Amino acid sequence: MHTLFIIPRLRHTVFAGLKTSYRGCHVLTPLRVVYHNHGASSTSYSGSTYQVYTSFPLGVPIPRPGKNWTRFVCVSDTHKKTIPLVYGDILIHAGDFTTFGKGYKAALDWIKELRHPQKVLIAGNHELNLDLQCRSEIYGRVDSQMAAELDEERRMLTDQSATDANLTYLEVSSADIPGESGKKWSIHGSPYTPEYGTMGFSYPRKVENTMWSNVPQSTEVLVTHGPPFGILDLTRYGKNHVGCPGLSHTVLHRLPHVRLHVYGHIHESRGVEIHQGSAGQDIVFVNAACRDLKHPQPIIVDLKN
């Protein structure tokens, strides 16, 4: 059963009791609100605990809902590009800031130089230069020079310039990141996606139902490169859902405190969906991929503390 409202240049769809099954993993979503922006000059959506902007004129200040809110500026899949960004408490980049590892230092320097008080970064499948196993598969060997290059590129993620920039790199790890209001958010990040060719940070589909078992239950913001199954994961060709069902199950049923899930990877499915979590909380799902936009811009998410 569903209700469909048509508004000029915007589609807002509500599905009740949606249930999907994929590879033995069941995902039950009590409430699903899907927002698709079709080129409106300014588009925003709000609930009692969130305010989301998917499209807005750059250079025009966007007011915050109140003092006890945190603004997240979300991007992904910039692929060596530097794009105009708006100010916010915490910048989240969900991976693929390079193209096949090329442009690594320049892209990382750009992220470090951004004026956001806190920056959270994960790798994506294109950051194969950070994945020693992937490097060895591509070149057929692991030698001392390759290991030294990997060490140097990883060092850039945690060196003094990264510290000075308040850049936090997460790789299957968590950190408490403060907003300007003083609220600390428990953020967990992982670069892994289901395997597709020889790319970085991939895992076989046979382990997808257990891949996310170590995400802490205290997580409030989850950052992954790949999408969860059925949520902003449709491909352009074939219209197949390619997200991970184990990730969907984890976010919707095992993380009672999660409020925001940011990812990318599937460029053509950029957008926002609101789902209800296991504790009845609204979860904002953001596919923040920027690569295919004519005029790339971030997605802004304001969350009530």
Side-chain angles (χ1 to χ4, degrees):
M1 177 180 179
H2 68 275
T3 305
L4 178 65
F5 303 90
I6 301 296
I7 302 174
R9 310 181 81 176
L10 175 67
R11 188 177 71 210
H12 171 186
T13 313
V14 179
F15 299 85
L18 176 69
K19 184 175 182 179
T20 62
S21 178
Y22 180 73
R23 297 181 186 268
C25 181
H26 295 282
V27 178
L28 178 63
T29 311
L31 175 65
R32 182 183 183 193
V33 182
V34 187
Y35 298 112
H36 301 273
N37 177 249
H38 295 291
S41 59
S42 181
T43 306
S44 65
Y45 319 101
S46 62
S48 61
T49 59
Y50 64 88
Q51 178 83 33
V52 182
Y53 298 87
T54 62
S55 180
F56 46 87
L58 291 169
V60 178
I62 300 174
R64 298 184 183 226
K67 290 183 178 180
N68 294 319
W69 290 68
T70 300
R71 172 157 291 178
F72 296 86
V73 179
C74 308
V75 295
S76 185
D77 298 84
T78 49
H79 290 288
K80 299 192 298 182
K81 286 187 176 181
T82 60
I83 67 172
L85 296 175
V86 296
Y87 184 80
D89 299 44
I90 301 172
L91 171 75
I92 294 178
H93 195 306
D96 275 9
F97 52 95
T98 71
T99 299
F100 297 107
K102 298 184 183 299
Y104 176 79
K105 185 179 185 304
L108 193 55
D109 286 346
W110 167 65
I111 294 170
K112 289 178 180 180
E113 291 167 3
L114 294 170
R115 60 193 184 97
H116 303 79
Q118 299 289 335
K119 308 168 189 71
V120 175
L121 174 68
I122 67 168
N125 60 309
H126 272 262
E127 277 70 70
L128 44 84
N129 56 308
L130 297 176
D131 186 341
L132 185 60
Q133 180 178 344
C134 181
R135 277 191 172 193
S136 66
E137 290 177 2
I138 292 173
Y139 296 106
R141 71 186 195 285
V142 177
D143 56 27
S144 58
Q145 180 180 349
M146 186 183 299
E149 290 173 355
L150 177 66
D151 287 344
E152 173 60 20
E153 289 173 342
R154 281 190 166 276
R155 185 192 64 79
M156 296 179 192
L157 296 166
T158 56
D159 63 10
Q160 188 59 50
S161 66
T163 301
D164 293 342
N166 287 328
L167 173 65
T168 301
Y169 174 72
L170 298 177
E171 188 177 305
V172 195
S173 57
S174 301
D176 291 332
I177 307 296
E180 289 189 315
S181 65
K183 155 77 174 173
K184 288 188 176 181
W185 295 86
S186 178
I187 302 180
H188 183 85
S190 174
Y192 283 91
T193 56
E195 61 185 359
Y196 182 79
T198 304
M199 298 295 285
F201 301 103
S202 63
Y203 58 89
R205 284 283 187 180
K206 64 183 179 181
V207 303
E208 59 194 3
N209 286 344
T210 58
M211 184 68 192
W212 307 98
S213 59
N214 291 328
V215 178
Q217 285 198 321
S218 59
T219 299
E220 295 172 292
V221 177
L222 180 63
V223 186
T224 62
H225 183 58
F229 177 78
I231 305 176
L232 300 168
D233 68 333
L234 275 176
T235 60
R236 179 181 293 114
Y237 302 106
K239 293 294 183 181
N240 296 316
H241 288 286
V242 294
C244 178
L247 182 55
S248 296
H249 182 80
T250 293
V251 180
L252 291 169
H253 298 282
R254 205 180 61 77
L255 302 179
H257 303 290
V258 70
R259 305 264 305 280
L260 173 63
H261 184 190
V262 183
Y263 48 92
H265 192 44
I266 307 303
H267 300 177
E268 55 268 42
S269 280
R270 180 185 188 270
V272 173
E273 292 190 13
I274 312 299
H275 291 248
Q276 196 172 84
S278 60
Q281 81 278 24
D282 286 331
I283 306 173
V284 181
F285 288 83
V286 175
N287 181 330
C290 296
R291 176 65 178 84
D292 291 353
L293 295 179
K294 184 177 181 180
H295 302 291
Q297 63 179 176
I299 291 177
I300 298 172
V301 179
D302 293 330
L303 291 184
K304 192 172 184 179
N305 294 347

